[in-house]
């Protein structure tokens, strides 16, 4: 490991001052608050071994899942980066944060809402951010919501500025800004990649906190598998093209309303996609290139898994595994050719469903004994590694909004109250359900799989559109261009979506102005390919539609 940089030494001085100002903690006991390591992954769908995918090599995340409570049916509230992250980090829905694009800061635009790290900071924790936690830019005030959320300045890897530059060597030997970008790490600028830098920084911060008397909240945000698929080229070998299939439903469904389709314009900006000379908005991408896209996404997932593995192994190295909650999730999923789409930007399960798991020492797994390696690093290239035994799982439908109250409760903090309606004037409240009860009552004889009654639960999501048919800004319309909002509910039985008129000046949806609808039954149509909305009672909204 290289020697610490001047910025890291400076950060160490700041951390020391912060920890000293908080005073010494009481000697460890069963009622002590727990540390929190929150891992947020960009664009990660539940294509993981622990979610039943036999192709994906994700041994380290699978190992975490084997010691966690894993949620099989967790859903984001909007399938795009900034709105989703602001939503779950504040515990408010996009209609409350009023962020549907990337162009406003909720504290100015909607209300001075507290965030998860801010709440922990106000309760005596040292809060630290590494990598992409908040979406950078206007939506987090160009500061990752500092100083509200963080005790020390957030860290961003220096090499992330090269992510969208011409660093991908093509078959012609020249450098390009491609979608598919397997690289030789020693040849890229700075000789490293952003997620590798983030892991190194996070491990050094864990080492500093080991000797601190203060509890910590460390959020680590990983870029991959977000596009471009820029990753160490050796991971491509894990997924020979002959083993990579197309999506099971690669065609645009015949009954899909035009407003529901996203034309994946960000992919079309990449040089290798432009060379395919695809028609807009539907493509399609040639089958052989579809397999290459899926191969690179899967390779990115395995590369990400190694970074998670190194980070979790550091908890063992610093004797922190017995005192640290680990939560892992993603901001949303990503379509890999399903419905003829490539990206997020929709209300389908494939873009709204996310991995979600919580490791809680002594609760989801026994406390590690002294000297035990609880999270040993697992090499995805090791073909003789056995898959970890499945851990504790629940089929309850849950929303990422629940992250705020659940982390607070698990850490031993007071759970913020439910928000009134409206809640723009309330700084601290939550719109998500507290999931703490799902962590109670696990006995040795209890089944390790589905608990609860998910039939009673629903998950809400939404997505804006500028028009009733696909156009250049359909994927990411700016607020002033939004004309239609697709509101969707997912139950254990169905996904029901209505696309209604929306006034961006008043932030109001008009549910009497229905532009289109979608209805898919989970049991008979799990991939959501056969829209039966027009076969049902048309525009009649279920009574439970609005949250």
């Amino acid at each position: 490991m290289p020697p610490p940089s001047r910025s890291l030494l400076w950060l160490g001085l700041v951390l020391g001052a912060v920890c000293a100002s908080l005073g010494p903690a009481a000697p460890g006991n069963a009622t002590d608050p727990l540390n929190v390591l929150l891992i947020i992954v960009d664009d990660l769908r539940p294509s993981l071994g622990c979610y039943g995918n036999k192709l994906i090599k994700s041994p380290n995340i699978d190992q975490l899942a084997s010691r966690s409570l894993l949620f099989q049916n967790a859903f984001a509230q909007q399938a795009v980066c900034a709105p989703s992250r602001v939503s779950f980090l504040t515990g408010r829905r996009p209609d409350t944060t009023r962020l549907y694009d990337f162009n406003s800061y909720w504290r100015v635009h909607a209300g001075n809402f507290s965030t998860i790290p801010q709440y922990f900071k106000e309760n005596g924790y040292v809060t630290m951010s590494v990598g992409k936690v908040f979406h950078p830019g206007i939506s987090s005030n160009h500061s990752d919501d500092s100083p509200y959320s963080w005790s020390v300045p957030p860290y961003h890897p220096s090499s992330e500025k090269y992510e969208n530059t011409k660093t991908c060597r093509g078959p012609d030997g020249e450098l390009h800004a491609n979608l598919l970008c397997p690289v030789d790490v020693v040849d890229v600028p700075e000789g490293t990649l952003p997620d590798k830098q983030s892991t190194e920084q996070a491990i050094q911060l864990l080492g500093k906190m080991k000797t601190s008397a203060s509890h910590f909240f460390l959020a680590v945000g990983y870029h991959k598998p977000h596009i471009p698929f820029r990753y160490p080229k050796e991971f491509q070998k894990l997924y020979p093209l002959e083993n990579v299939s197309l999506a099971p439903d690669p065609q645009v469904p015949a009954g899909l309303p035009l407003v529901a389709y996203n034309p994946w314009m960000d992919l079309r900006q990449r040089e290798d996609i432009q060379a395919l000379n695809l028609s807009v908005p539907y493509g399609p991408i040639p089958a052989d290139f579809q397999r290459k896209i899926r191969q690179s996404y899967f390779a990115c997932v395995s590369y990400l898994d190694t970074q998670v593995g190194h980070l979790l192994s550091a908890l063992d190295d610093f004797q922190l595994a017995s005192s640290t909650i680990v939560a892992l999730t993603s901001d949303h999923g990503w379509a890999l050719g399903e419905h003829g789409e490539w990206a997020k930007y929709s209300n389908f399960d494939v873009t709204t469903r996310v991995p979600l798991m919580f490791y809680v020492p002594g609760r989801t797994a026994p406390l590690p004994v002294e000297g035990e390696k609880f999270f040993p690093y697992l090499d995805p290239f090791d073909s003789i590694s056995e898959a970890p035994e499945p851990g504790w799982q629940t089929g309850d439908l849950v929303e990422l909004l629940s992250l705020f109250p659940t982390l607070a409760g698990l850490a031993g903090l007071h759970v913020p109250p439910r928000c009134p309606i409206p809640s723009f004037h309330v700084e601290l409240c939550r719109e998500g359900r507290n999931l703490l009860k799902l962590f109670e009552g696990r006995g040795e004889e209890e089944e390790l799989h589905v608990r609860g009654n998910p039939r009673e639960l629903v998950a809400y999501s939404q997505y804006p559109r500028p028009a009733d048919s696909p156009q250049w800004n359909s994927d990411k319309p700016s607020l002033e261009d939004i004309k239609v909002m697709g509101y969707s509910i997912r139950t254990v039985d169905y996904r029901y979506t209505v696309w209604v008129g929306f006034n961006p000046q008043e932030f109001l949806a008009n549910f009497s102005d229905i532009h289109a609808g979608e209805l898919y039954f989970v049991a008979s149509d799990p991939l959501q390919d056969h829209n039966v909305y027009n076969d049902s009672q048309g525009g009649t909204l279920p009574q439970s539609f609005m949250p």
Side-chain angles (χ1 to χ4, degrees):
M1 183 174 292
S5 65
R6 293 176 61 187
S7 61
L8 185 62
L9 292 172
W10 172 82
L11 184 59
L13 293 173
V14 175
L15 268 176
V18 170
C19 295
S21 70
L22 293 172
N29 59 62
T31 61
D32 269 357
L34 293 168
N35 305 311
V36 176
L37 172 59
L38 173 60
I39 302 171
I40 302 170
V41 186
D42 211 343
D43 290 14
L44 178 65
R45 54 194 256 166
S47 291
L48 299 163
C50 53
Y51 280 89
N53 191 307
K54 303 299 184 184
L55 177 66
I56 303 301
K57 311 289 190 202
S58 53
N60 294 287
I61 296 176
D62 298 346
Q63 179 175 245
L64 173 63
S66 74
R67 304 188 184 282
S68 300
L69 174 55
L70 180 145
F71 289 83
Q72 286 283 357
N73 291 298
F75 293 89
Q77 277 48 80
Q78 188 176 328
V80 69
C81 301
S84 177
R85 289 166 186 260
V86 168
S87 174
F88 70 70
L89 287 168
T90 62
R92 317 281 185 117
R93 300 185 188 279
D95 277 344
T96 304
T97 66
R98 292 180 166 175
L99 180 67
Y100 314 108
D101 57 13
F102 298 80
N103 303 323
S104 66
Y105 180 42
W106 77 91
R107 294 187 190 273
V108 174
H109 198 59
N112 190 30
F113 308 144
S114 295
T115 69
I116 299 174
Q118 177 183 354
Y119 187 58
F120 276 80
K121 180 183 174 186
E122 291 170 349
N123 278 275
Y125 280 67
V126 175
T127 58
M128 301 166 286
S129 173
V130 172
K132 186 178 178 182
V133 178
F134 285 98
H135 190 85
I138 298 172
S139 63
S140 57
N141 202 33
H142 298 283
S143 66
D144 297 286
D145 194 45
S146 293
Y148 296 99
S149 287
W150 310 111
S151 303
V152 295
Y155 169 85
H156 285 278
S158 59
S159 64
E160 69 182 9
K161 61 180 172 287
Y162 305 110
E163 278 291 282
N164 293 300
T165 61
K166 295 188 177 187
T167 58
C168 316
R169 191 153 316 268
D172 59 0
E174 299 299 319
L175 294 177
H176 299 274
N178 286 344
L179 172 66
L180 310 184
C181 192
V183 298
D184 190 333
V185 175
V186 298
D187 290 339
V188 300
E190 299 187 26
T192 188
L193 295 172
D195 288 344
K196 293 172 69 70
Q197 287 186 288
S198 290
T199 299
E200 292 163 1
Q201 175 75 3
I203 289 173
Q204 293 192 56
L205 290 176
L206 288 175
K208 290 182 179 297
M209 294 312 298
K210 176 195 173 183
T211 60
S212 167
S214 302
H215 299 288
F216 66 83
F217 179 102
L218 172 59
V220 181
Y222 286 115
H223 286 75
K224 297 302 122 182
H226 192 287
I227 64 170
F229 299 137
R230 184 167 171 259
Y231 59 94
K233 63 183 182 181
E234 58 267 24
F235 287 90
Q236 207 172 44
K237 298 176 183 177
L238 292 171
Y239 304 98
L241 279 174
E242 59 267 25
N243 295 345
V244 178
S245 63
L246 299 179
D249 54 346
Q251 306 299 323
V252 179
L256 183 70
L258 293 177
V259 70
Y261 185 81
N262 76 80
W264 33 280
M265 297 302 293
D266 49 359
L267 266 71
R268 299 173 190 273
Q269 297 170 14
R270 310 289 165 170
E271 291 183 35
D272 49 352
I273 298 294
Q274 289 176 350
L276 299 174
N277 196 26
L278 303 174
S279 63
V280 178
Y282 299 110
I285 294 176
D288 62 336
F289 204 91
Q290 290 189 38
R291 286 189 173 88
K292 291 179 180 179
I293 295 175
R294 290 169 65 87
Q295 176 194 46
S296 278
Y297 182 93
F298 300 152
C300 282
V301 172
S302 292
Y303 163 55
L304 157 77
D305 181 80
T306 64
Q307 299 309 303
V308 173
H310 289 305
L311 178 60
L312 294 178
S313 181
L315 292 179
D316 286 334
D317 295 340
F318 299 130
Q319 292 84 50
L320 291 169
S322 61
S323 59
T324 304
I325 295 166
V326 181
L328 182 144
T329 193
S330 171
D331 49 2
H332 42 69
W334 210 81
L336 283 168
E338 294 86 358
H339 313 115
E341 295 181 315
W342 301 88
K344 44 250 188 184
Y345 316 132
S346 82
N347 283 316
F348 286 119
D349 276 17
V350 73
T351 64
T352 57
R353 183 169 170 247
V354 296
L356 178 64
M357 60 193 75
F358 297 84
Y359 159 71
V360 187
R363 187 173 290 192
T364 62
L367 287 171
V369 299
E370 187 174 352
E372 178 186 8
K373 277 283 189 179
F374 213 59
F375 295 112
Y377 175 77
L378 300 176
D379 188 345
F381 292 92
D382 185 354
S383 59
I384 64 173
S385 292
E386 294 186 8
E389 288 294 319
W392 198 12
Q393 302 179 13
T394 175
D396 276 16
L397 276 82
V398 301
E399 302 174 299
L400 281 185
L401 287 176
S402 292
L403 199 59
F404 196 153
T406 303
L407 278 178
L410 290 173
L413 304 182
H414 174 73
V415 175
R418 280 277 195 175
C419 290
I421 300 176
S423 65
F424 298 107
H425 62 291
V426 181
E427 293 188 9
L428 179 63
C429 66
R430 41 95 182 187
E431 294 181 352
R433 183 167 66 107
N434 182 7
L435 306 179
L436 203 57
K437 287 186 177 180
L438 294 175
F439 292 81
E440 296 173 356
R442 181 182 180 187
E444 291 298 321
E445 72 288 347
E446 186 177 344
E447 284 292 324
L448 300 184
H449 299 290
V450 177
R451 306 176 70 243
N453 181 12
R455 193 171 299 276
E456 299 174 354
L457 304 170
V458 297
Y460 299 91
S461 60
Q462 62 189 96
Y463 209 86
R465 293 281 190 245
D468 286 327
S469 58
Q471 60 185 47
W472 68 272
N473 62 340
S474 288
D475 297 342
K476 296 184 286 187
S478 297
L479 174 63
E480 62 270 17
D481 296 326
I482 297 172
K483 301 294 189 297
V484 185
M485 186 71 73
Y487 288 94
S488 190
I489 54 174
R490 175 64 156 81
T491 75
V492 70
D493 297 313
Y494 61 85
R495 177 172 287 286
Y496 182 65
T497 305
V498 287
W499 297 88
V500 301
F502 186 82
N503 183 328
Q505 287 77 38
E506 301 294 331
F507 302 96
L508 287 178
N510 182 356
F511 281 86
S512 64
D513 177 23
I514 296 176
H515 292 226
E518 299 171 79
L519 178 61
Y520 308 97
F521 289 103
V522 173
S524 59
D525 185 20
L527 300 179
Q528 300 168 3
D529 291 317
H530 306 288
N531 180 15
V532 297
Y533 176 84
N534 290 329
D535 300 334
S536 66
Q537 296 183 4
T540 303
L541 291 175
Q543 192 170 10
S544 63
F545 189 83
M546 288 305 293

